[in-house]
Amino acid sequence: RERERERESMASHFPSSLSVSRQALKLNPDNEETKNNLCAVEMKVAENVAVTVPSKETYLASVDCYNRVLKAHPENLDARNGRGTAYHKAGDPVKAMEDFQHVTLTDPKNTLGWHNRGFLLFSVQRYEGISLLSRTLFSYDLIVHLHLVT
């Protein structure tokens, strides 16, 4: 209960943070630090929107926040993982898997991407996919281990 109140209190500060960051970007649109700060705030908003009141609508609102981040920073794999999770919780496993696959193909060492792929496969009851994923991860871990040892 206490954690819920803390989360709601934190979420109440995001609109003003977004407003200030957006205003700063209007004043100096080429400032990379300001763009990155806005990106960070939007990521926090996306992470917390759906947590405060979980529903399909709030998960889709979270997807919108991640879309803004990815438009500005398409290489941001944390945003891609977050958007995939929001898609999954909003009931769109196909789009979720596209994001998780993008993450693991872009960065094969991204453990969160692999975890998300595995959890998604498990949750939609594609158990043969779990087996394949496990073999793939085991092979990858073995290759990494052999590379580090030799």
Side-chain angles (χ1 to χ4, degrees), residues 34-102:
T34 302
K35 288 179 185 177
N36 291 335
N37 288 341
L38 178 58
C39 174
V41 172
E42 287 192 327
M43 288 271 295
K44 283 294 179 192
V45 169
E47 292 166 7
N48 285 281
V49 161
V51 173
T52 52
V53 185
S55 70
K56 183 174 182 170
E57 291 74 25
T58 55
Y59 289 123
L60 291 175
S62 187
V63 166
D64 289 340
C65 289
Y66 283 118
N67 284 339
R68 286 192 297 277
V69 171
L70 288 166
K71 184 177 180 184
H73 302 277
E75 74 289 349
N76 188 322
L77 297 182
D78 291 333
R80 186 81 61 166
N81 262 320
R83 185 177 71 178
T85 300
Y87 273 134
H88 179 204
K89 291 182 178 185
D92 195 338
V94 173
K95 286 186 179 176
M97 184 56 78
E98 288 172 2
D99 277 343
F100 299 148
Q101 286 176 335
H102 175 86

Side-chain angles (χ1 to χ4, degrees), residues 4-148:
E4 264 180 52
R5 279 194 292 269
E6 185 179 310
R7 211 179 287 136
E8 287 172 8
S9 171
M10 195 167 88
S12 70
H13 297 288
F14 287 126
S16 58
S17 297
L18 276 172
S19 177
V20 168
S21 293
R22 287 182 181 144
Q23 183 62 33
L25 193 59
K26 283 179 186 175
L27 295 172
N28 194 354
D30 298 324
N31 186 300
E32 283 302 312
E33 184 179 356
T34 302
K35 288 179 185 177
N36 291 335
N37 288 341
L38 178 58
C39 174
V41 172
E42 287 192 327
M43 288 271 295
K44 283 294 179 192
V45 169
E47 292 166 7
N48 285 281
V49 161
V51 173
T52 52
V53 185
S55 70
K56 183 174 182 170
E57 291 74 25
T58 55
Y59 289 123
L60 291 175
S62 187
V63 166
D64 289 340
C65 289
Y66 283 118
N67 284 339
R68 286 192 297 277
V69 171
L70 288 166
K71 184 177 180 184
H73 302 277
E75 74 289 349
N76 188 322
L77 297 182
D78 291 333
R80 186 81 61 166
N81 262 320
R83 185 177 71 178
T85 300
Y87 273 134
H88 179 204
K89 291 182 178 185
D92 195 338
V94 173
K95 286 186 179 176
M97 184 56 78
E98 288 172 2
D99 277 343
F100 299 148
Q101 286 176 335
H102 175 86
V103 169
T104 56
L105 289 172
T106 303
D107 178 9
K109 294 180 182 180
N110 190 302
T111 55
L112 182 58
W114 285 107
H115 167 80
N116 286 337
R117 282 179 73 170
F119 183 74
L120 177 62
L121 289 169
F122 179 78
S123 69
V124 294
Q125 299 181 2
R126 292 186 184 158
Y127 297 105
E128 71 281 358
I130 288 290
S131 165
L132 175 62
L133 179 63
S134 296
R135 286 194 305 269
T136 303
L137 284 173
F138 178 76
S139 298
Y140 178 74
D141 287 343
L142 183 61
I143 290 168
V144 170
H145 177 72
L146 290 174
H147 177 71
L148 293 174

